[in-house]
Amino acid sequence: MTFVLVLAFDTATPAVTAALHDGERVLAESTTIDARRHGELLVPQVEAVVRDAGASLREVTAVVAGAGPGPYTGLRVGLMTAQALATTLGVPAYSVCTLDALAYAAATANPDLGTPFVAATDARRKEVFWARYSDARTRDEGPFVAKPQDLPADLPLVGAGARMYAEVVGEARIVPGAPEYPYAGALAALAAERLAAGAGLEPPRPIYLRRPDAREPGAPKKVTA
C-alpha cells in the first residue's frame, strides 16, 4: 500500500485551519477563527498539526489548499504557502474548492440533511459565496457570489454565509449543528478520497468571483504653480 500523508489547510474564510490525513483518517487538526491574521496564524497551525500527529513535514506526500472563493488577501496566503511548501518538500500541490469542503463536512456529519442543499460562506459587502450540492461529494452548480436573499429558495442551507443572514434566508432553512466553516479535516479527507480514486485535483489556483478591494495606485497628480 502506498504511503499517504496529506497536509491540508484553508484561509478562504475567518477560519485559519490545518489538518494532516493519512489516507484513512484525520491525524491532527487545528483551527483558529480570526479574519485578520491569516498570514500570522497559518504556519503555526501547520507546525501544530504535524507535531500533534507525531509526524515530520518531510513525510508529507501532498499539500492541499482551499481554493476559495474567498477574500483576495486571505485566500492568497493559503495558496502561496501551499506552493512554497510543495516546492520545498518536492511533492505535488493541489487545491479544492472551499465550499466543497464545507458541504462535505456538513453532509457527512448530518445524514438526515435534505438534498439538494446549499453551502454558503461570507463574501463581505452584504453578499455570500455559495454553491448547490446534490450530496456530500457532488457540486451541481456554482460557486457564485450573490445577495443572501437571492440564494435558491426552499433548499437547506449550511455555513456561516447562511447563519449570519438567518433573518433574510429564514432560520428554519439553516441546518442545525452543521459546521459554519470549512475545517481542514474535511478538506483533507475529501482530497484524500479524490486522490485515492484517481480523480484529478486542480493545481493551487484561486477561485476569484470578483476583483480584489485593493487597487494599484494611479499616477501621481500633477502639481502646477
Side-chain angles (χ1 to χ4, degrees):
M1 181 178 176
T2 303
F3 176 74
V4 174
L5 198 62
V6 176
L7 173 63
F9 43 80
D10 193 292
T11 55
T13 75
V16 184
T17 179
L20 205 62
H21 196 286
D22 69 357
E24 295 184 358
R25 64 188 180 93
V26 176
L27 301 178
E29 183 175 13
S30 179
T31 301
T32 300
I33 310 299
D34 191 327
R36 298 181 179 274
R37 296 199 299 144
H38 295 88
E40 297 173 46
L41 293 171
L42 180 57
V43 171
Q45 300 280 54
V46 168
E47 292 173 340
V49 298
V50 171
R51 181 182 63 250
D52 292 347
S56 162
L57 271 177
R58 290 292 173 187
E59 297 177 274
V60 169
T61 59
V63 180
V64 180
Y72 175 79
T73 303
L75 187 53
R76 68 178 180 177
V77 169
L79 292 165
M80 291 176 66
T81 300
Q83 291 175 319
L85 270 176
T87 299
T88 300
L89 299 174
V91 300
Y94 305 105
S95 64
V96 171
C97 175
T98 294
L99 290 168
D100 289 359
L102 177 59
Y104 180 87
T108 53
N110 295 269
D112 296 329
L113 174 61
T115 55
F117 66 94
V118 168
T121 58
D122 180 24
R124 303 177 182 175
R125 306 182 194 173
K126 298 182 179 180
E127 293 180 325
V128 296
F129 296 121
W130 69 275
R132 170 180 162 145
Y133 294 82
S134 59
D135 57 45
R137 297 166 179 82
T138 307
R139 178 169 15 116
D140 293 327
E141 59 176 336
F144 305 113
V145 60
K147 298 292 184 183
Q149 58 267 32
D150 295 329
L151 288 174
D154 303 323
L155 294 183
L157 302 170
V158 301
R163 173 62 61 187
M164 66 191 303
Y165 296 109
E167 292 184 0
V168 176
V169 300
E171 182 74 36
R173 295 175 60 197
I174 299 174
V175 178
E180 294 194 12
Y181 299 107
Y183 296 111
L187 177 67
L190 180 58
E193 275 190 18
R194 290 178 176 176
L195 289 171
L201 290 182
E202 295 293 326
R205 295 188 185 126
I207 300 173
Y208 291 138
L209 298 183
R210 62 188 181 203
R211 299 179 66 84
D213 292 329
R215 295 285 187 273
E216 291 186 10
K221 293 181 180 179
K222 293 182 179 180
V223 178
T224 56

